[in-house]
Each structure stands twice: as structure tokens, then as C-alpha cells.
Amino acid sequence: MTDIANTGAVVIDRADGRDDGEEWTENYTELPGGAGVSLILEATTQEGAGPRLHLHPYAETFIIRRGTATFTVGEEQIVGKAGQILVVPANTPHKFRTGPGGYEAVHIHANPTFETTWLE
């Protein structure tokens, strides 16, 4: 992490030392600068990957950058694809499974730390 002098801003580098955005999978909590969010960077070429059913006491936003995933949100299913943003409201059960072409997304948790209730 690099502080930008006299601004309060910081630059956070990849933990694995790479200097690109490819295959970047990492979790970030308690980000500096009062960001107030936590992040999951998800990248996989594996089909069928994803978390089991869960919920959070805050909204989660999925920015899908590559591939597809089938999301279960409440009782509904939707195929999310590259170029779409999905917002799951607070306290809404959800899960997803990645599609055959893999999946890359940024998951934004509207909370500085992860708070998850697992339902299955």
C-alpha cells in the first residue's frame, strides 16, 4: 500500500505482486480512506464454482466483467453476464454458480467487513 502524500488517498497493489488485472482473486476489508466497503475480486475459468446460499445485513453489488454465472436471488434465478451489474438487497438470500466460459467480477459489500449468514 502506498500513501499519496498530503491527500489521505492510497494505492493498494496486488498481494501476489503481479502488475496486471488478469486472474485477480482477492478479498479486501477495512479499506483505508473511509471507503466503507469491502471487496471480493473473483476470477475463475472453472464452471460451477460459487458460494452456497447466504445473506448479508447490507447490499451486495456484483459487477460482472467476463463470462456468466447463474444467480439464485430469493426464489428467482437469473443468468448474469459480462457487462451487467446485479444488486442484491440487504437480507436477501443469494448464491451463484459460474458458467462454462468462466467468470470474472467485482463483488462490492456495502460494509467495511464481511458479515455473512450461511443458509446451506
Side-chain angles (χ1 to χ4, degrees), residues 1 10 12 27-39 109 111-115:
M1 182 167 44
V10 296
I12 302 170
N27 293 350
Y28 293 93
T29 61
E30 298 180 349
L31 293 166
V37 299
S38 49
L39 305 173
H109 289 239
N111 202 56
T113 59
F114 300 122
E115 295 182 33

Side-chain angles (χ1 to χ4, degrees), residues 42-70:
E42 181 91 32
T44 183
T45 57
Q46 181 181 357
E47 182 177 357
R52 62 191 194 277
L53 192 68
H54 64 283
L55 57 80
H56 312 285
Y58 49 79
E60 183 174 5
T61 302
F62 298 84
I63 302 172
I64 305 168
R65 296 176 30 88
R66 178 181 56 80
T68 64
T70 300

